Amino acid sequence: MSLEQELFEQRLARIPEIEKLGLKPYGHRFEFSHTLSRILDEYSARTAEELSERVNVKVCGRIQTIRRMGKAGFLHLQQSTARLQVYIKKDAVPEADFALYQLLDLGDIIGVEGYLFRTRTGELSVHAERLYFLSKNLLGVPEKYHGLEDVELRYRQRYLDLFANPEVQKVFETRARIIGSFRRQLEARDFLEVETPMMQPLYGGAAARPFVTHHNTLDIDLYLRIAPELYLKRLIVGGLERVYEINRNFRNEGVSTRHNPEFTMLEFYQAYTDYKGLMDLSCELLKQVAIDATGSAVVNYQGVALDFGNIRRLSIREAVVEFWKGPEKPTLEQVKDPEWLRSHSSKGTPGEQLMDIFERHGEDQLVQPAIIYEFPVEVSPLARQSDDDPSMTDRFEIYAAGMEIGNAYTELNDPREQRRRFEMQLAMRERGDAEAHQMDEDFLRALSYAMPPTGGEGIGIDRMTMLLTDSTSIRDVILFPLLRPEGPIGIGEWLGK
RNA sequence: GGGCCGGUAGCUCAGCGGUAGAGCAUCUGACUUUUAAUCAGAGGGUCGCGGGUUCGACCCCCGCCCGGCUCACCA
């Protein structure tokens, strides 16, 4: 028998012991008077004398540590990220409660009723007068000093990660604040939150390979969406002039520290503005999100201070010139010259060549938050062409810490040009580009009813969360990142005995 | 998918071609203000899986599984 199973059975055997004390090992309501964090907030500053006026509390949580010393002892209760010490003395609690105390295991969930005091060493604690048993832990818990460090276990058993490493909870609290901040800011600007299909008969709105699924009754294949864009623009046609959606996209592509197959995007569309208007809006949104998430517009990321209150704007071509790696720094004129582009990239068209060069020479050096604008038309099938250069579009991306975190453009609303772009994409698909855009005739029909001039933008919530929580892997900001299945676990058999 | 690194007790980690180790956790005992509690004792391992080399493999070789980093693709 493995040690783990031995431990499991030892603990299972405590259940009848607990029942002998007249207690239920699982499941009933517990009316607490304070959360642990409220006690810490309100009483951490109180001295022992100030606590001599009795403060009654009834609290609950998971047992994080136990120190037994014969006829008395201590334990730490943990609730969310807060922890509070409890002192149990044989004379101060009913006999059955002290018997219960002697049966407790690390990880059990209990309630404690008593009063606050400070121990001889000065730690704020609850002097227990009653104990309540709330739920039994049957498994060994990670070591108290190091916590759970095995990355695989942390992702597979996130529940364990969350209570063994309470700072992980903070990451997800920050993530929720980030989403809340975007919502509040957009609502304040009269944007309407909407939900559009995640299962789509045609996929579009981005360059990516999709997941395919099947509806049995209709007997049709459906795609998990790669972006909500085409549906959100249909809503603009319909007169919902400011809409946004925060939800999952699914892309059937590689997994890395920056990519999870499902990830969360904010997309918003505003009629009667353009990409320049969105640049201003983006700067306002990002600055406030940083403040709401971290308390400051200047955020520490991997030892670098990223300033979301001061976002630079430069064109792709300017970025290539500025961040050129190598001796022969090009001029702006050269970067516009097709000859020069061809001699520095093996890609097919000038636009693709420029993007290729930018990705090699600019992207990873955009550490401070920056807006990079003017993207080639070939890589922007849904964006409006620039008036002064039809090979470029009115589009920008937002970069920080070398990562793309946002993408925005003046929406293409000319249905004839949109049709031409779809044809272009189909030709690319013919040439073997599996990520090229599909033709969407219903979308063309919607545009044919006239879509107002519109600016649209997408912001990657996971990547924003990485930046604002100082996380280097997207898996650290997704509660349950995709992993291969782990195989048989075997606990069902133990529980069945 | 390629390259590099890793998988040893429940957790965190040593180890090494010659009898599998430590700390925490667990169990027994002592202890009525401890705090990485302390003290005395005990139990606990398919060394990721499968082959091979060898008198002998946790260790060397091959294949596979799982994970991390990285490159490619992408956001």
Side-chain angles (χ1 to χ4, degrees):
Chain A
M1 190 193 306
S2 72
L3 175 65
E4 191 180 18
Q5 188 178 358
E6 225 168 88
L7 207 133
F8 191 88
E9 297 196 351
Q10 276 166 14
R11 293 185 176 194
L12 218 45
R14 295 212 175 98
I15 289 178
E17 299 290 316
I18 290 165
E19 285 167 335
K20 264 187 233 162
L21 296 173
L23 302 169
K24 290 197 169 63
Y26 290 107
H28 48 84
R29 178 166 172 162
F30 186 74
E31 300 281 358
F32 57 85
S33 68
H34 298 71
T35 61
L36 299 188
S37 66
R38 190 179 145 207
I39 289 175
L40 294 180
D41 286 348
E42 290 183 13
Y43 299 101
S44 285
R46 300 271 188 103
T47 63
E49 295 73 52
E50 287 167 330
L51 288 169
S52 64
E53 186 164 339
R54 191 181 157 104
V55 180
N56 290 316
V57 298
K58 195 171 177 185
V59 297
C60 48
R62 187 185 288 278
I63 298 172
Q64 194 184 35
T65 66
I66 300 188
R67 290 175 296 284
R68 287 184 241 263
M69 296 173 301
K71 300 185 182 65
F74 294 86
L75 57 82
H76 274 108
L77 276 190
Q78 178 191 7
Q79 185 180 35
S80 299
T81 55
R83 67 176 223 159
L84 181 65
Q85 183 168 264
V86 176
Y87 175 57
I88 297 104
K89 188 165 67 163
K90 197 168 194 297
D91 306 342
V93 296
E95 203 173 312
D97 290 24
F98 198 75
L100 172 63
Y101 170 66
Q102 290 173 310
L103 286 172
L104 293 177
D105 287 305
L106 293 180
D108 285 352
I109 293 172
I110 63 167
V112 175
E113 192 172 2
Y115 58 90
L116 294 180
F117 77 115
R118 279 195 187 275
T119 61
R120 199 170 288 161
T121 54
E123 181 166 347
L124 182 67
S125 306
V126 179
H127 198 293
E129 294 175 315
R130 290 299 314 272
L131 293 185
Y132 303 89
F133 194 79
L134 302 177
S135 194
K136 185 87 201 98
N137 170 42
L138 300 170
L139 291 165
V141 295
E143 196 212 6
K144 60 191 167 191
Y145 192 56
H146 295 92
L148 183 68
E149 297 199 339
D150 184 312
V151 179
E152 184 174 352
L153 289 183
R154 289 188 46 228
Y155 297 152
R156 283 197 197 284
Q157 296 178 248
R158 184 67 91 179
Y159 39 89
L160 187 56
D161 187 30
L162 286 165
F163 74 73
N165 303 317
E167 66 279 6
V168 172
Q169 295 185 25
K170 301 271 190 200
V171 169
F172 293 97
E173 287 170 10
T174 302
R175 183 181 171 113
R177 279 206 303 279
I178 289 165
I179 292 172
S181 174
F182 277 120
R183 275 214 171 91
R184 264 195 314 282
Q185 295 189 72
L186 289 165
E187 298 288 335
R189 290 172 175 81
D190 293 325
F191 282 81
L192 179 72
E193 182 167 12
V194 296
E195 292 165 280
T196 62
M198 297 227 202
M199 301 166 79
Q200 306 178 344
L202 287 174
Y203 61 93
R209 287 154 66 190
F211 289 92
V212 189
T213 187
H214 187 79
H215 188 279
N216 288 340
T217 308
L218 298 183
D219 192 24
I220 50 169
D221 282 341
L222 292 165
Y223 301 101
L224 300 190
R225 75 177 183 197
I226 59 172
E229 171 157 352
L230 299 184
Y231 284 93
L232 291 171
K233 285 196 277 203
R234 284 169 168 94
L235 298 179
I236 298 283
V237 171
L240 300 179
E241 291 184 348
R242 294 183 180 202
V243 292
Y244 73 98
E245 179 162 7
I246 300 175
N247 222 319
R248 228 66 66 77
N249 291 341
F250 306 87
R251 299 189 185 173
N252 205 339
E253 288 168 350
V255 176
S256 78
T257 48
R258 296 174 177 193
H259 302 84
N260 195 61
E262 56 177 314
F263 64 101
T264 302
M265 280 274 280
L266 159 66
E267 285 205 15
F268 54 94
Y269 291 80
Q270 177 178 343
Y272 306 110
T273 189
D274 65 4
Y275 78 124
K276 298 247 160 142
L278 290 180
M279 286 185 193
D280 298 337
L281 177 54
S282 300
C283 291
E284 291 170 28
L285 291 177
L286 293 185
K287 180 180 180 184
Q288 190 59 46
V289 163
I291 291 170
D292 290 343
T294 70
S296 167
V298 181
V299 175
N300 171 54
Y301 185 74
Q302 301 297 300
V304 180
L306 302 181
D307 187 356
F308 286 93
N310 182 20
I311 300 180
R312 283 185 74 190
R313 303 180 191 193
L314 64 171
S315 72
I316 286 197
R317 287 160 172 158
E318 288 166 351
V320 168
V321 172
E322 174 162 343
F323 295 110
W324 185 258
K325 294 173 189 162
E328 292 169 36
K329 190 188 267 270
T331 62
L332 260 187
E333 283 62 42
Q334 283 177 305
V335 175
K336 285 182 188 169
D337 179 6
E339 290 275 323
W340 184 90
L341 289 172
R342 202 168 334 136
S343 66
H344 288 86
S345 171
S346 58
K347 301 284 177 181
T349 67
E352 288 171 314
Q353 288 156 6
L354 178 61
M355 284 307 293
D356 179 42
I357 294 166
F358 168 70
E359 280 161 15
R360 283 185 287 120
H361 285 278
E363 188 165 1
D364 61 342
Q365 296 183 73
L366 291 168
V367 173
Q368 283 302 320
I371 283 174
I372 303 296
Y373 58 88
E374 282 175 0
F375 280 70
V377 68
E378 299 95 305
V379 297
S380 315
L382 303 163
R384 184 177 181 277
Q385 276 160 302
S386 303
D387 288 329
D388 52 353
D389 181 355
S391 73
M392 303 300 273
T393 55
D394 292 342
R395 172 179 172 190
F396 68 88
E397 291 190 339
I398 306 167
Y399 286 86
M403 276 194 297
E404 183 189 338
I405 56 175
N407 177 23
Y409 35 84
T410 306
E411 301 299 337
L412 175 57
N413 64 344
D414 175 347
R416 291 173 306 169
E417 175 62 12
Q418 184 65 74
R419 191 204 75 94
R420 203 181 66 79
R421 300 286 188 87
F422 280 151
E423 295 289 352
M424 242 167 91
Q425 292 288 314
L426 289 179
M428 288 164 71
R429 182 171 286 270
E430 293 284 303
R431 290 202 301 272
D433 184 348
E435 294 174 357
H437 217 284
Q438 293 182 301
M439 170 73 73
D440 186 336
E441 284 217 81
D442 179 69
F443 180 64
L444 292 177
R445 177 166 62 186
L447 289 188
S448 297
Y449 280 109
M451 180 172 87
T454 297
E457 178 161 340
I459 292 177
I461 295 294
D462 312 278
R463 289 186 175 178
M464 275 308 292
T465 306
M466 288 170 67
L467 295 176
L468 299 181
T469 59
D470 200 16
S471 301
T472 53
S473 171
I474 199 166
R475 289 178 212 109
D476 290 326
V477 302
I478 291 174
L479 282 166
F480 298 99
L482 186 66
L483 298 177
R484 288 180 195 275
E486 66 176 316
I489 297 171
I491 203 167
E493 195 189 326
W494 299 356
L495 287 164
K497 284 187 178 167

